[in-house]
Amino acid sequence: DIVMTQSPLSLPVTPGEPASISCRSSQSLLHSNGNNYLDWYLQKSGQSPQLLIHLGSNRAPGVPDRFSGSGSGTDFTLKISRVEAEDVGVYYCMQARQTPVTFGQGTRLEIK
Amino acid sequence: EVQLLESGGGLAQPGGSLRLSCAVSGFSISSYAMGWVRQAPGKGLQWVSAVVTSGGVTYYAAAVEGRFTISRDNSKNTLYLQMNSLRADDTAVYYCVKSPCIGNCYSTFDYWGQGTLVTVSS
């Protein structure tokens, strides 16, 4: 199975400041078709997860442009250019390069 | 508007069975890969199963293989998860998920249901 490792696991951020979450996979997520099968999800308190970024760097419809995804192969990053109060929650990376689909442990973003 | 509405959760005894349903509106489930993801209380996300559009091929996590069966009724636009031989560690909120994938693929979950809680306890 592909192991997904996120860091940090807890991220206190001052509103208006940037934030960055790292996700590393134990195997390359780069397919021969050129796609990295890495997604980012946000789960707000009491809600279902929601898709933020797919295929490594593509924002889902309706996701603010302060969110961006980058990386390739085994190293990926989710960046928030200026954190807002509504960004609080747990962020998960997920690989779908092969089954079983696996998730990172989650990174809890909180406002300082 | 896309909606995924799970039902069928509840309390089951160890060794018992439950069938989860996911009633879908806003798109045809026969056109996209669908699946289930679960979340144990206070824990992270765990993928459970997926069914792709190409030949209806199914995939399962090792923890549920042989005990759970994913299926869909295209006429009812509903996805199912038959769960047998339930164990305490199957206790979780089960989310129905849609993938934008067409064909033999299952990547990305662009829509999630609200989840249904399954509790396995004597």
Side-chain angles (χ1 to χ4, degrees), chain B:
Chain B
E1 181 188 7
V2 171
Q3 287 192 325
L4 289 73
L5 186 61
E6 302 96 335
S7 61
L11 178 63
Q13 291 197 334
S17 299
L18 282 175
R19 188 177 82 155
L20 305 184
S21 300
C22 174
V24 172
S25 58
F27 70 94
S28 172
I29 65 169
S30 62
S31 298
Y32 300 97
M34 300 288 295
W36 294 92
V37 174
R38 68 185 181 183
Q39 186 170 35
K43 302 297 184 182
L45 301 171
Q46 182 185 33
W47 174 79
V48 173
S49 181
V51 55
V52 304
T53 59
S54 178
V57 175
T58 57
Y59 299 93
Y60 298 94
V64 307
E65 180 103 50
R67 300 188 299 122
F68 290 11
T69 302
I70 189 172
S71 64
R72 58 187 173 197
D73 185 331
N74 294 336
S75 67
K76 295 182 178 180
N77 218 32
T78 299
L79 181 74
Y80 301 99
L81 186 68
Q82 177 67 44
M83 304 187 297
N84 299 330
S85 303
L86 284 163
R87 310 187 303 221
D89 61 1
D90 294 319
T91 294
V93 173
Y94 285 73
Y95 295 102
C96 172
V97 293
K98 169 193 172 290
S99 170
C101 231
I102 299 172
N104 189 20
C105 57
Y106 42 79
S107 65
T108 298
F109 305 138
D110 55 355
Y111 288 95
W112 297 62
Q114 87 291 345
T116 186
L117 177 62
V118 171
T119 303
V120 183
S121 174
S122 55

Side-chain angles (χ1 to χ4, degrees), chain A:
Chain A
D1 297 3
I2 296 178
V3 177
M4 306 298 291
T5 304
Q6 290 182 228
S7 63
L9 299 184
S10 179
L11 184 58
V13 184
T14 300
E17 293 298 304
S20 180
I21 301 171
S22 171
C23 177
R24 290 186 172 176
S25 58
S26 60
Q27 300 175 39
S28 177
L29 304 184
L30 180 61
H31 192 277
S32 57
N33 62 14
N35 290 326
N36 283 285
Y37 286 87
L38 185 284
D39 302 330
W40 290 96
Y41 299 86
L42 165 60
Q43 185 174 32
K44 298 181 179 181
S45 179
Q47 297 184 18
S48 304
Q50 60 186 88
L51 177 65
L52 294 176
I53 303 288
H54 64 103
L55 298 179
S57 60
N58 299 286
R59 264 190 312 274
V63 174
D65 60 8
R66 64 179 181 275
F67 289 91
S68 64
S70 64
S72 184
T74 61
D75 289 338
F76 298 87
T77 302
L78 176 70
K79 292 183 179 178
I80 309 173
S81 59
R82 294 174 303 280
V83 170
E84 298 186 3
E86 66 180 23
D87 300 336
V88 165
V90 181
Y91 291 78
Y92 294 94
C93 61
M94 183 198 89
Q95 70 80 21
R97 175 63 182 84
Q98 65 183 54
T99 58
V101 170
T102 47
F103 292 87
Q105 319 96 299
T107 295
R108 184 173 299 277
L109 186 148
E110 61 181 39
I111 297 296
K112 281 184 181 176

